[in-house]
Amino acid sequence: MCARPHAFHVSKVLIVSLTAGEKILGGRYEIEGVLGKGSMGVVVGAVHLRSGTRVAVKVLAELDPTNAELMLKRFEREAKLLSRVTSHPNIVSLLDHGALPSGEPCLVMEYVEGTDLERVLEREGSLAWRSVVPIARQILEALEAVHG
């Protein structure tokens, strides 16, 4: 599963395989479903077949040929930064990275149960400063751990 990325297909391959009922990713992970989509890719929840550990797998999104190299470098940089932080309460652990057999770059990270900040803001609207300060502190501590 973790060969180094080279020429690759887009995450549509993953989405199509989910639609077709294919549930095994890279021969190691059973896909549970899509957790989210963002500007860089799609994140699926999965379970490691041998250990039963739940993980989150981020697969690089379809790349525009005009910025494909830049996006791939950003993805690789994310993997390097995450691999430097081995234990931090506000940063997910990187468990594996490389490429799927189809060539799509991916990151395998610990799965963290919870609600993301975007959903909290959608539900609550604006937050009182007393709620924002602890959240901001956690974000800043994480940024310091990664970039400090």
Side-chain angles (χ1 to χ4, degrees):
M1 146 136 186
C2 283
R4 300 305 303 155
H6 47 78
F8 54 88
H9 304 289
V10 296
S11 62
K12 284 182 182 175
V13 173
L14 177 62
I15 292 166
V16 167
S17 68
L18 281 172
T19 306
E22 184 179 316
K23 293 287 193 179
I24 306 301
L25 184 63
R28 293 186 186 177
Y29 301 96
E30 182 175 2
I31 299 168
E32 294 181 323
V34 176
L35 297 174
K37 296 175 187 173
S39 62
M40 281 192 70
V42 61
V43 179
V44 297
V47 176
H48 190 275
L49 292 172
R50 287 194 172 178
S51 70
T53 303
R54 289 188 78 195
V55 297
V57 183
K58 181 176 185 178
V59 181
L60 193 60
E62 181 174 357
L63 299 176
D64 178 342
T66 61
N67 70 354
E69 189 174 332
L70 174 65
M71 293 300 288
L72 188 55
K73 284 181 182 179
R74 286 178 63 194
F75 202 77
E76 286 287 319
R77 186 177 70 213
E78 181 178 355
K80 285 180 183 177
L81 289 172
L82 281 174
S83 68
R84 289 189 351 207
V85 181
T86 56
S87 177
H88 192 281
N90 305 114
I91 301 174
V92 296
S93 296
L94 180 66
L95 305 174
D96 201 357
H97 75 285
L100 300 177
S102 60
E104 298 171 272
C106 69
L107 304 176
V108 180
M109 301 166 286
E110 77 175 303
Y111 175 82
V112 178
E113 191 74 44
T115 303
D116 64 36
L117 183 56
E118 182 178 15
R119 284 190 176 69
V120 171
L121 292 173
E122 286 171 357
R123 185 180 64 232
E124 304 288 328
S126 61
L127 299 175
W129 71 269
R130 290 182 195 274
S131 299
V132 172
V133 170
I135 294 169
R137 177 174 281 133
Q138 291 176 38
I139 292 169
L140 293 171
E141 288 171 355
L143 286 170
E144 180 182 32
V146 174
H147 299 287

